[in-house]
mmCIF file of all heavy atoms in Angstrom:
data_model
loop_
_atom_site.group_PDB
_atom_site.id
_atom_site.type_symbol
_atom_site.label_atom_id
_atom_site.label_comp_id
_atom_site.label_asym_id
_atom_site.label_seq_id
_atom_site.Cartn_x
_atom_site.Cartn_y
_atom_site.Cartn_z
ATOM 1 N N LEU A 864 173.800 8.653 -19.405
ATOM 2 C CA LEU A 864 172.841 8.100 -18.462
ATOM 3 C C LEU A 864 171.730 7.389 -19.231
ATOM 4 O O LEU A 864 170.978 8.022 -19.983
ATOM 5 C CB LEU A 864 172.258 9.225 -17.593
ATOM 6 C CG LEU A 864 173.291 10.148 -16.924
ATOM 7 C CD1 LEU A 864 172.581 11.196 -16.073
ATOM 8 C CD2 LEU A 864 174.283 9.351 -16.094
ATOM 9 N N LEU A 865 171.642 6.072 -19.028
ATOM 10 C CA LEU A 865 170.681 5.239 -19.755
ATOM 11 C C LEU A 865 169.779 4.459 -18.805
ATOM 12 O O LEU A 865 169.241 3.410 -19.170
ATOM 13 C CB LEU A 865 171.425 4.263 -20.672
ATOM 14 C CG LEU A 865 172.204 4.878 -21.836
ATOM 15 C CD1 LEU A 865 173.036 3.819 -22.549
ATOM 16 C CD2 LEU A 865 171.247 5.549 -22.824
ATOM 17 N N GLY A 866 169.598 4.945 -17.596
ATOM 18 C CA GLY A 866 168.782 4.247 -16.617
ATOM 19 C C GLY A 866 167.330 4.101 -17.048
ATOM 20 O O GLY A 866 166.796 4.921 -17.798
ATOM 21 N N GLN A 867 166.676 3.024 -16.597
ATOM 22 C CA GLN A 867 165.247 2.800 -16.840
ATOM 23 C C GLN A 867 164.884 2.810 -18.324
ATOM 24 O O GLN A 867 163.970 3.500 -18.766
ATOM 25 C CB GLN A 867 164.421 3.876 -16.106
ATOM 26 C CG GLN A 867 164.668 3.973 -14.618
ATOM 27 C CD GLN A 867 164.111 2.772 -13.854
ATOM 28 O OE1 GLN A 867 163.200 2.101 -14.309
ATOM 29 N NE2 GLN A 867 164.675 2.499 -12.688
ATOM 30 N N ASN A 868 165.601 2.025 -19.110
ATOM 31 C CA ASN A 868 165.346 1.989 -20.550
ATOM 32 C C ASN A 868 165.012 0.596 -21.090
ATOM 33 O O ASN A 868 165.002 0.390 -22.307
ATOM 34 C CB ASN A 868 166.547 2.561 -21.319
ATOM 35 C CG ASN A 868 166.375 4.044 -21.597
ATOM 36 O OD1 ASN A 868 165.409 4.457 -22.234
ATOM 37 N ND2 ASN A 868 167.310 4.850 -21.108
ATOM 38 N N GLU A 869 164.748 -0.344 -20.188
ATOM 39 C CA GLU A 869 164.341 -1.690 -20.602
ATOM 40 C C GLU A 869 165.365 -2.347 -21.538
ATOM 41 O O GLU A 869 165.013 -3.056 -22.485
ATOM 42 C CB GLU A 869 162.962 -1.638 -21.275
ATOM 43 C CG GLU A 869 161.891 -1.008 -20.409
ATOM 44 C CD GLU A 869 160.568 -0.803 -21.127
ATOM 45 O OE1 GLU A 869 160.302 -1.498 -22.120
ATOM 46 O OE2 GLU A 869 159.803 0.072 -20.684
ATOM 47 N N LEU A 870 166.637 -2.146 -21.241
ATOM 48 C CA LEU A 870 167.696 -2.669 -22.108
ATOM 49 C C LEU A 870 167.814 -4.192 -22.028
ATOM 50 O O LEU A 870 168.082 -4.847 -23.038
ATOM 51 C CB LEU A 870 169.046 -2.042 -21.736
ATOM 52 C CG LEU A 870 169.161 -0.517 -21.854
ATOM 53 C CD1 LEU A 870 170.595 -0.086 -21.565
ATOM 54 C CD2 LEU A 870 168.731 -0.043 -23.235
ATOM 55 N N GLU A 871 167.681 -4.731 -20.836
ATOM 56 C CA GLU A 871 167.822 -6.164 -20.571
ATOM 57 C C GLU A 871 169.213 -6.661 -20.992
ATOM 58 O O GLU A 871 170.122 -5.870 -21.255
ATOM 59 C CB GLU A 871 166.689 -6.932 -21.249
ATOM 60 C CG GLU A 871 165.309 -6.493 -20.746
ATOM 61 C CD GLU A 871 164.167 -7.307 -21.304
ATOM 62 O OE1 GLU A 871 164.287 -7.875 -22.400
ATOM 63 O OE2 GLU A 871 163.116 -7.376 -20.619
ATOM 64 N N VAL A 872 169.382 -7.961 -21.055
ATOM 65 C CA VAL A 872 170.703 -8.556 -21.290
ATOM 66 C C VAL A 872 171.274 -8.141 -22.644
ATOM 67 O O VAL A 872 172.440 -7.717 -22.750
ATOM 68 C CB VAL A 872 170.623 -10.102 -21.223
ATOM 69 C CG1 VAL A 872 171.987 -10.712 -21.554
ATOM 70 C CG2 VAL A 872 170.163 -10.545 -19.845
ATOM 71 N N GLU A 873 170.479 -8.244 -23.671
ATOM 72 C CA GLU A 873 170.958 -7.941 -25.024
ATOM 73 C C GLU A 873 171.374 -6.484 -25.164
ATOM 74 O O GLU A 873 172.396 -6.168 -25.783
ATOM 75 C CB GLU A 873 169.866 -8.282 -26.041
ATOM 76 C CG GLU A 873 170.324 -8.140 -27.492
ATOM 77 C CD GLU A 873 169.250 -8.551 -28.486
ATOM 78 O OE1 GLU A 873 168.146 -8.952 -28.042
ATOM 79 O OE2 GLU A 873 169.502 -8.473 -29.704
ATOM 80 N N GLY A 874 170.584 -5.590 -24.590
ATOM 81 C CA GLY A 874 170.917 -4.169 -24.669
ATOM 82 C C GLY A 874 172.213 -3.844 -23.957
ATOM 83 O O GLY A 874 173.029 -3.049 -24.441
ATOM 84 N N ALA A 875 172.415 -4.456 -22.786
ATOM 85 C CA ALA A 875 173.663 -4.243 -22.049
ATOM 86 C C ALA A 875 174.855 -4.732 -22.854
ATOM 87 O O ALA A 875 175.928 -4.112 -22.849
ATOM 88 C CB ALA A 875 173.608 -4.960 -20.708
#
Side-chain angles (χ1 to χ4, degrees):
L864 309 181
L865 294 173
Q867 304 289 336
N868 267 302
E869 304 173 23
L870 300 185
E871 300 185 334
V872 177
E873 186 177 0

